Amino acid sequence: MATVVDESNPLLQDFEFPPFDVVEHKHVRPGIRALLKNLESDLEELERTVEPSWPKLVEPLEKITDQLAIVWGMINHLKAVKDSPELRSAIEEVQPEKVKFELRLGQSKPIYDAFKAIQESPQWTSLSDAQKRIVESQIKEAVLNGVALDDDKREQFNKIEQELKRLSQKFGENVLDATKKFEKLITDKKHIEGLPATSLGLAAQTAVSKGHADATAENGPWIITLDTPIFMSVMQHAKNRGLREEIYRAHVTRASSGDLNNTAIIDEILKLRLEKAKLLNYNNYAEVSMATKMATVEKAEELLEELRIASWDAAVQDMEDLKIFSKNQGAMEANDLTHWDTSFWAERLRESKYDINEEELRPFFSLPKVMDGLFNLAKMLFGIDIEPADGLAPVWNNDVKFYHVKDSLGNPIAYFYFDPYSRPSEKQGGAWMDEVVSRSRVLSRNGTAPRLPIAHMVCNQTPPVGTKPSLMTFREVETVFHEFGHALQHMLTKQDEGLVAGIRGIEWDAVELPSQFMENWCYRRETLMGIAKHYETGESLPEEVYLKLLAARTFRAGSLSLRQLRFASLDLELHTKYIPGASESIYEVDRRVSKRTQVIPPLPEDRFLCSFSHIFAGGYAAGYYSYKWAEVLSADAFSAFEDAGLDNDKAVKETGHKFRETILALGGGKEPLSVFVEFRGREPSPEALLRHNGLLSATASAL
């Protein structure tokens, strides 16, 4: 199998670490086209010579899929962290060609037949768990890719796939553009009273970048955008109710009007997904989605309803508490609290109840200290050392850090990039982890040791200002722990079969287990006290503040739970019962679902669906429930450490070792329920999740 190498195009060079620093939009069209041409001839060669054996089927197949994943992953990553109109249009132009190749590969009859032959052969019993999982999932994926369809139906299927890819891309771009488009210039300081210094700094920085050269945090002018850090800050801290309302309304109507309107795109996506499901002989798209997940539609709905019942009364009480509190504070709106009031008054109630001001805690959470604490925790739990390796690999921005992961004997096991700061003009919001390359025996660099995995971790924190490091909210600390959990599962895999190494091949609803699991450690005293040091004085977070953070963990847990349940239920409803083009619109479905999942119904003009990227531009279609599904798994997994005793270092290390050898090591090579049972000794239960959220008693009486 030939690897295409073209020294003049960085996408086509043979590299250990991707040349992120030199890839430009001009490389995308020729690079992807040359790669696809090469892969097509590799695929033809494979189909001509295929035999139902590992060396003649799986190894060449892995080489084909891997090359495409790495090169496409590079440009897709750059689009997410260094977006430009030129890069966008280059990717848009070659994406259909890439999808066409993937469909051709996914619908290859010779490959499908060879996998079926392995499954039916005498050698089946001698295959490892991981190898069996590869064969089973390849057969299942091929069927879901339309391999068994007649020619005319397959042609229709392929058209649908192409169109869905295009629509998802457009949906995401509209959200990004609509978010960028909104700007509110404020010159009068009293209009932004209440906003913390960090947000004022951010708003002034934005103003400078938009041509207000003399803007300062102190005197303005300030530009408010819908970018998450500033949006959240306005909702939680701005005393100006009119400003909160304006920003809230802009946020929930993003990408719902004019040339960025996503409404028609959503309808078309839902229509095509249903058509695709029918072609594959499923009743609806949710069934297609569940075919490759742990849950079934019924099981997911059952869990969501169980959690809804446990959360409802608590959420109603949360609202009552806000009304009483705001009334006592003399708020005019106390009897009429609505969407742009809840975050603001919840923040004031949190401050008075727990005397915690998220902003005042920032100096205790400086990014360098947080990362040190996180790496020390990983060393204790999993026996690994993480060392800075800046300069070893090219990066796409000077703020990006590069790290080397070693085992307890000093052997290298993985690498990762960390891109921590917000860059609204070119970088997507949110936080995510993705693979750069996965562990693989077949793709060994030297022919003996497996190729080592490399991961990305991307966040959107407030950048350092002057000599002041990036100071984080506690929520941002949790986010870094979360993304690192994903990275650990990718990096600490012991699978040598590339197709199921790391996060590859793991059922979608199990993939959040390690990430949500890691968040729990932020509340463990030793961990938190280890990172919470004032960046100037070095003093530790006061003990009473720690206790309040702990108590505040269950603050408004019912409301936060219902918010996720609205998203998850709406997602399932749209992909099971909703009929595109019938009398009920998508927004009416949202309102109907919200009656059961929201204490305050959404505004009539709420168009949140138009920016629900998770299900229309991400991988969560008929899968948003998996956040809750995985929360059950992760809380239960963490309760194994609680049972062992969180202050018993020896027991924590032993349990950590077990977690590493099961959940983190086995990757997609074993069915996730078996992996969980191997770690926990039993099947998962929602008890730990409800206990952590302070919702346990509610469920006992309600069920």
Side-chain angles (χ1 to χ4, degrees):
M1 291 196 115
T3 302
V4 53
V5 175
D6 171 356
E7 288 310 321
S8 66
N9 191 325
L11 293 176
L12 301 177
Q13 287 164 12
D14 179 36
F15 49 75
E16 185 176 4
F17 303 116
F20 286 118
D21 56 337
V22 291
V23 173
E24 293 176 38
H25 65 87
K26 66 180 182 193
H27 300 126
V28 172
R29 289 180 185 85
I32 294 296
R33 284 178 178 142
L35 176 70
L36 289 173
K37 192 162 178 280
N38 214 60
L39 293 180
E40 269 156 27
S41 68
D42 286 350
L43 176 56
E44 281 161 21
E45 171 72 11
L46 169 58
E47 288 179 326
R48 221 179 16 255
T49 59
V50 69
E51 290 173 22
S53 73
W54 225 250
K56 290 284 194 172
L57 167 63
V58 183
E59 292 178 8
L61 178 64
E62 186 187 332
K63 286 176 181 168
I64 292 172
T65 56
D66 190 83
Q67 274 191 68
L68 185 57
I70 289 175
V71 178
W72 189 261
M74 282 167 68
I75 60 172
N76 222 24
H77 174 69
L78 287 171
K79 181 175 182 286
V81 294
K82 205 174 180 177
D83 190 27
S84 73
E86 297 80 12
L87 180 61
R88 246 188 218 195
S89 64
I91 290 176
E92 215 164 280
E93 198 178 306
V94 292
Q95 179 164 303
E97 297 162 44
K98 177 242 187 191
V99 175
K100 188 177 171 191
F101 173 74
E102 284 180 321
L103 286 166
R104 157 99 172 73
L105 176 63
Q107 293 168 352
S108 166
K109 198 88 171 66
I111 291 177
Y112 173 68
D113 290 341
F115 274 116
K116 294 280 281 187
I118 288 183
Q119 197 176 34
E120 288 153 17
S121 74
Q123 69 178 81
W124 175 251
T125 49
S126 64
L127 295 183
S128 68
D129 282 349
Q131 290 174 320
K132 284 179 179 166
R133 282 268 290 180
I134 287 172
V135 173
E136 287 162 352
S137 75
Q138 288 289 333
I139 291 170
K140 189 186 280 184
E141 288 290 344
V143 172
L144 293 175
N145 276 325
V147 76
L149 296 175
D150 306 339
D151 287 355
D152 56 336
K153 281 190 170 171
R154 188 177 316 137
E155 203 173 313
Q156 191 189 346
F157 180 92
N158 290 352
K159 275 191 184 139
I160 289 173
E161 285 293 86
Q162 283 286 13
E163 188 57 7
L164 280 172
K165 287 281 192 301
R166 188 188 70 78
L167 290 166
S168 287
Q169 185 98 337
K170 185 76 183 124
F171 183 98
E173 287 170 2
N174 284 351
V175 175
L176 186 65
D177 292 347
T179 305
K180 273 204 306 208
K181 195 173 168 185
F182 180 91
E183 285 176 16
K184 183 171 177 63
L185 179 68
I186 295 179
T187 50
D188 186 341
K189 196 163 191 177
K190 67 171 183 291
H191 288 167
I192 51 164
E193 199 185 333
L195 280 198
T198 45
S199 306
L200 293 174
L202 208 53
Q205 248 171 4
T206 306
V208 170
S209 73
K210 304 282 181 184
H212 300 271
D214 50 355
T216 64
E218 185 56 37
N219 301 312
W222 305 270
I223 287 183
I224 303 294
T225 65
L226 297 179
D227 212 41
T228 306
I230 198 83
F231 167 73
M232 292 301 296
S233 188
V234 169
M235 297 321 295
Q236 290 178 343
H237 300 293
K239 292 184 180 176
N240 179 344
R241 191 180 187 218
L243 175 66
R244 295 201 307 267
E245 177 177 355
E246 183 184 347
I247 300 299
Y248 177 82
R249 285 180 182 275
H251 195 262
V252 295
T253 54
R254 273 182 305 163
S256 69
S257 62
D259 54 356
L260 298 176
N261 191 346
N262 271 336
T263 308
I265 291 180
I266 294 173
D267 272 326
E268 191 58 21
I269 287 174
L270 292 172
K271 180 169 140 296
L272 291 172
R273 284 176 180 165
L274 184 59
E275 277 177 35
K276 173 178 167 177
K278 300 276 198 215
L279 278 175
L280 294 170
N281 277 330
Y282 288 94
N283 293 310
N284 53 54
Y285 187 76
E287 290 181 5
V288 177
S289 166
M290 300 291 178
T292 53
K293 295 188 172 68
M294 277 178 83
T296 59
V297 173
E298 294 68 32
K299 283 212 165 98
E301 287 175 341
E302 220 171 85
L303 175 68
L304 294 177
E305 182 58 13
E306 182 181 348
L307 297 177
R308 188 190 74 80
I309 291 169
S311 309
W312 183 263
D313 289 350
V316 170
Q317 188 55 52
D318 288 344
M319 204 60 219
E320 213 38 52
D321 293 347
L322 285 193
K323 280 180 187 163
I324 294 165
F325 177 75
S326 58
K327 199 172 212 160
N328 291 342
Q329 300 295 307
M332 308 282 284
E333 67 267 25
N335 293 321
D336 188 27
L337 289 186
T338 187
H339 302 280
W340 46 87
D341 301 316
T342 46
S343 293
F344 177 80
W345 286 110
E347 210 40 48
R348 305 294 76 75
L349 177 57
R350 186 205 310 266
E351 287 165 5
S352 87
K353 202 169 178 179
Y354 305 106
D355 194 19
I356 291 177
N357 177 322
E358 285 249 321
E359 288 300 317
E360 284 171 13
L361 292 187
R362 277 188 194 262
F364 286 97
F365 298 118
S366 67
L367 181 65
K369 277 270 184 296
V370 170
M371 297 313 283
D372 280 352
L374 179 54
F375 296 165
N376 288 335
L377 176 67
K379 183 182 173 83
M380 181 187 73
L381 290 176
F382 310 125
I384 56 173
D385 284 297
I386 296 163
E387 297 169 2
D390 293 322
L392 184 61
V395 291
W396 52 93
N397 182 289
N398 288 337
D399 291 332
V400 177
K401 306 264 180 263
F402 191 65
Y403 294 97
H404 199 163
V405 183
K406 296 180 175 175
D407 65 17
S408 52
L409 300 171
N411 302 314
I413 46 178
Y415 301 92
F416 68 98
Y417 301 83
F418 180 40
D419 182 353
Y421 310 128
S422 167
R423 294 189 297 278
S425 64
E426 63 172 17
K427 183 175 171 183
Q428 272 178 21
W432 66 92
M433 170 270 160
D434 210 346
E435 62 168 61
V436 183
V437 306
S438 81
R439 183 178 165 95
S440 168
R441 171 185 54 82
V442 172
L443 293 157
S444 163
R445 297 285 305 167
N446 59 11
T448 51
R451 178 182 69 183
L452 298 182
I454 308 173
H456 287 307
M457 263 173 68
V458 184
C459 294
N460 264 290
Q461 289 158 210
T462 313
V465 180
T467 55
K468 205 157 73 171
S470 175
L471 301 177
M472 301 161 71
T473 62
F474 184 63
R475 180 71 211 116
E476 286 174 335
V477 175
E478 287 181 298
T479 300
V480 167
F481 273 61
H482 177 102
E483 299 307 334
F484 193 62
H486 282 309
L488 285 169
Q489 189 169 37
H490 180 63
M491 299 188 297
L492 300 193
T493 187
K494 296 205 168 168
Q495 295 290 1
D496 288 341
E497 291 293 344
L499 294 173
V500 288
I503 56 173
R504 288 186 179 182
I506 295 178
E507 279 74 353
W508 192 271
D509 41 8
V511 93
E512 295 292 328
L513 192 174
S515 51
Q516 292 172 345
F517 163 83
M518 285 301 290
E519 288 183 41
N520 289 289
W521 293 96
C522 298
Y523 292 91
R524 176 179 177 255
R525 177 187 305 264
E526 288 85 336
T527 309
L528 190 69
M529 291 311 211
I531 60 179
K533 307 276 187 217
H534 195 285
Y535 79 101
E536 285 175 317
T537 64
E539 69 171 302
S540 293
L541 189 74
E543 174 69 13
E544 68 271 16
V545 177
Y546 165 69
L547 294 173
K548 283 172 185 165
L549 270 179
L550 215 49
R553 187 179 187 182
T554 58
F555 179 61
R556 295 179 58 75
S559 303
L560 295 172
S561 171
L562 280 189
R563 179 174 180 270
Q564 289 294 83
L565 294 171
R566 170 195 175 191
F567 299 160
S569 306
L570 179 56
D571 170 37
L572 277 186
E573 187 74 20
L574 288 173
H575 290 105
T576 50
K577 303 181 189 72
Y578 173 71
I579 301 158
S583 57
E584 193 181 31
S585 77
I586 51 173
Y587 305 119
E588 286 163 344
V589 175
D590 186 8
R591 281 197 280 284
R592 177 159 57 77
V593 168
S594 295
K595 277 198 176 91
R596 298 171 55 252
T597 54
Q598 293 289 283
V599 178
I600 312 178
L603 296 175
E605 62 272 35
D606 183 308
R607 294 290 179 268
F608 144 77
L609 277 168
C610 287
S611 57
F612 197 1
S613 299
H614 277 80
I615 70 168
F616 296 120
Y620 282 88
Y624 198 92
Y625 77 90
S626 53
Y627 278 110
K628 281 293 169 202
W629 186 272
E631 265 180 47
V632 167
L633 300 175
S634 60
D636 201 0
F638 187 72
S639 72
F641 290 82
E642 294 174 319
D643 293 349
L646 285 177
D647 44 8
N648 177 342
D649 277 6
K650 183 170 179 290
V652 165
K653 278 180 185 165
E654 281 167 11
T655 315
H657 179 72
K658 195 173 179 189
F659 188 86
R660 180 186 170 174
E661 294 302 310
T662 51
I663 311 270
L664 299 180
L666 298 174
K670 199 169 184 179
E671 195 265 324
L673 187 59
S674 311
V675 176
F676 185 90
V677 171
E678 200 174 314
F679 169 67
R680 198 68 182 91
R682 57 163 175 73
E683 294 211 353
S685 142
E687 189 266 344
L689 174 64
L690 293 171
R691 175 168 54 79
H692 289 166
N693 285 336
L695 298 171
L696 206 47
S697 54
T699 185
S701 58
L703 288 176

